[in-house]
Amino acid sequence: MVLRPVRKSQGKQAQDKHTKSRRDTSPKSSKKASFARSIRSTLSTSSGQAHSGQVSLRASDKKLSFADLFKASESKVPALKRNQEVSGKIVSVSRNELLVDIGAKSEGLLAGHELTAAADLVSDLSVGDPIEATVLYPENDAGQVVLSLRKLSGEKRWKELEEKKENHEDIDVVAMEVNRGGVICEYLGIRGFLPASQLVKAPSKLEDLIGKTLNARVIEVDKQSNRLILSQKQPEKKDLKEVVKLLSKVKIGEEISGVVTAVLPFGIFVEVDIEKEIGRSGDQVVRKAKKSEPDDLNTQKPDNLSKLEGLVHISEISWEKVEDPAKYFKVGDKTDVIVIAKENETGRLNLSIKQLSEDPFVEVSKDYTKDKEVKGTISRVTPYGVIVELTRGIEGLIHISKLPPNENFDVGQSVECSVEAVDTKSRKISLVPLARTKPVLYR
């Protein structure tokens, strides 16, 4: 008797096919599919290298086990880390997601909130376009690399803000928080500051502005320091001539007196009454200004066209490093300033306080000659080295390449160093730690 294999009925075959199809849609099958693509890519790469003479394929290579293939793919595809920058080409664009071939085991995925946050960028992209992104998560449940375009999007928006400032265009911002000095606003993910003194109609309580959309103009933008300053007070066209006249009475390098109207993390605003400060002959007239109360910031009066407001940036407050301007000034303080720049378009002044006096570094640095041994206290530990305060207002840097590998450095610690170099122009002193312990010698 001849035994014949029993064949599955067509219905059974269809059911098995349907069951397999359902299994293939699971995250695990997605991982397997991604891995299979990686294996094919690895083999095709190896094959291409063989044609170019870089790799010689043996006959035994055709009989690789699954473990061998897995090991080969692992060696070919580098591991990704969070916040790592990657580049690739877009392979798919849809309403809900964007897929990018970044040369990894699977495609990079941009979806959800990350897609919404970069909607203005994605709208201009299509399949085949090159793109740079940041790794948010090396692998999700489906084995895909989750990407973010926030860095690229942020760079584009900083550029937009610079253009808005140059073109004197208004922008809409959302009030997020308030503090004593004003309102912290957000523009497409970038946070800026709107001083209370720059509000046109300030409510009795600044907290009432939270969540509201405000129209303002960019008066200062700096991507490097992550600084965005806004203002609602802009001179009307009919008043612009008067403002320019006032600015023409002020000369760069001139010393004047003013009153602090706002103290912010990045500097202070100082208001100057030009008519009272500048005499007909151009000589200075000391102004007897009364201190303004902090509460007056919440009830701003209409602009007085004899007054101009200027910013003393945090870097212009003192020759020594300033961490918090509030430790130096408060609203209502009178202070002397020097004009370092004028902005005719906005009717504002750029002011400095530290330039009223000579830079102490020039004189003090004469005491720090090359190879001189000095003592100091560590004030900061940074990724690039250790900052040592040698005396008040004078600091030196021990570069990370000069630090001993087996020694710890902490803030407040006393250290002994030798002067390696002094750069008066950039106000930098390079230091090298002294080795007081003799190295252990091995025979």
Side-chain angles (χ1 to χ4, degrees), residues 389-440:
E389 184 179 21
L390 301 173
T391 186
R392 183 176 177 82
I394 303 297
E395 294 180 329
L397 170 67
I398 305 177
H399 193 266
I400 189 171
S401 61
K402 306 293 183 181
L403 295 175
N406 298 323
E407 190 172 345
N408 295 326
F409 292 88
D410 301 313
V411 174
Q413 178 182 337
S414 179
V415 292
E416 296 182 356
C417 309
S418 65
V419 178
E420 183 181 40
V422 178
D423 188 344
T424 307
K425 188 175 181 180
S426 60
R427 305 183 83 252
K428 292 182 179 179
I429 298 179
S430 300
L431 304 173
V432 178
L434 293 177
R436 293 302 186 187
T437 58
K438 296 182 179 180
V440 179

Side-chain angles (χ1 to χ4, degrees), residues 18 96 186 251 304 348 372 379 421:
H18 177 68
N96 299 321
E186 186 172 288
K251 298 179 181 179
N304 185 335
R348 287 184 175 81
K372 180 179 180 179
S379 59

Side-chain angles (χ1 to χ4, degrees), residues 93-104:
V93 178
S94 68
R95 185 177 181 180
N96 299 321
E97 66 178 20
L98 184 147
L99 297 179
V100 183
D101 181 7
I102 57 175

Side-chain angles (χ1 to χ4, degrees), residues 250-256 284 337-341 350 355-356:
V250 183
K251 298 179 181 179
I252 294 178
E254 191 167 18
E255 297 180 17
I256 53 180
Q284 286 183 223
V337 294
I338 185 171
V339 180
I340 57 176
N350 290 331
Q355 294 188 34
L356 290 169

